[in-house]
Amino acid sequence: MGIKSFQGIRKTVKKEFEAPILVADYMTTKLVTFRPDQSILEVMEKFAKHHISGGPVLDDNGFLVGIISEADCMKQISESRYFNQPILEKNVENFMTKNVETIPDDISIFDAAGIFAQHNRRRLPVMRNGILVGQISRKDIVIAALKLSGHNWK
């Protein structure tokens, strides 16, 4: 005689995966920031100390006014050698990128990947209501994609 099941007919349950896919879920929020009046030498020291290659430049009120990167520092190093001047004399304001591309914190990482593909940037400041709330890098997007690689999105 066979074994009978007393559990009855089971309902098939479709598991829905709710993975975080917004920029806000993957952005860095503890930022190393810079001021327009800071010297390029100070910036390079912070880059080395914190193992970063760039960061946002904020005014005295905390508003984003630019972004400074290692590439910007390379311009200063090159010019100081050419004109035989010390690196100390120039400040961030002279070398930072002032027209900064930003992204909102509520877009998907897929949209952010498209922005990175269109623009040759390594990092983008993340804004919410005109206020800097974080920064996302290409590496952050790659890590997010790896976490989501086993899932289909509609």
Side-chain angles (χ1 to χ4, degrees), residues 24 27-31 133-135:
M27 69 183 182
T28 300
T29 56
K30 294 180 182 178
L31 300 176
V133 293
Q135 179 173 278

Side-chain angles (χ1 to χ4, degrees), residues 109-121 124 138 141:
I109 59 163
F110 306 109
D111 292 334
I115 293 168
F116 277 111
Q118 288 176 345
H119 307 283
N120 191 22
R121 299 281 181 246
L124 290 169
R138 293 185 300 194
I141 299 296

Side-chain angles (χ1 to χ4, degrees), residues 31 33-36 56-66 126-134:
L31 300 176
T33 61
F34 303 95
R35 297 179 325 276
V57 181
L58 306 178
D59 66 11
D60 292 335
N61 297 318
F63 291 106
L64 182 69
V65 294
V126 181
M127 309 294 278
R128 180 184 306 136
N129 300 325
I131 305 295
L132 178 70
V133 293

Side-chain angles (χ1 to χ4, degrees), residues 22 24 31 43 45 52 55 59 67 75 94 111 116 133 136:
L22 298 179
L31 300 176
V43 170
E45 288 171 348
I52 59 174
D59 66 11
I67 197 160
K75 293 175 197 168
N94 296 5
D111 292 334
F116 277 111
V133 293
I136 192 131

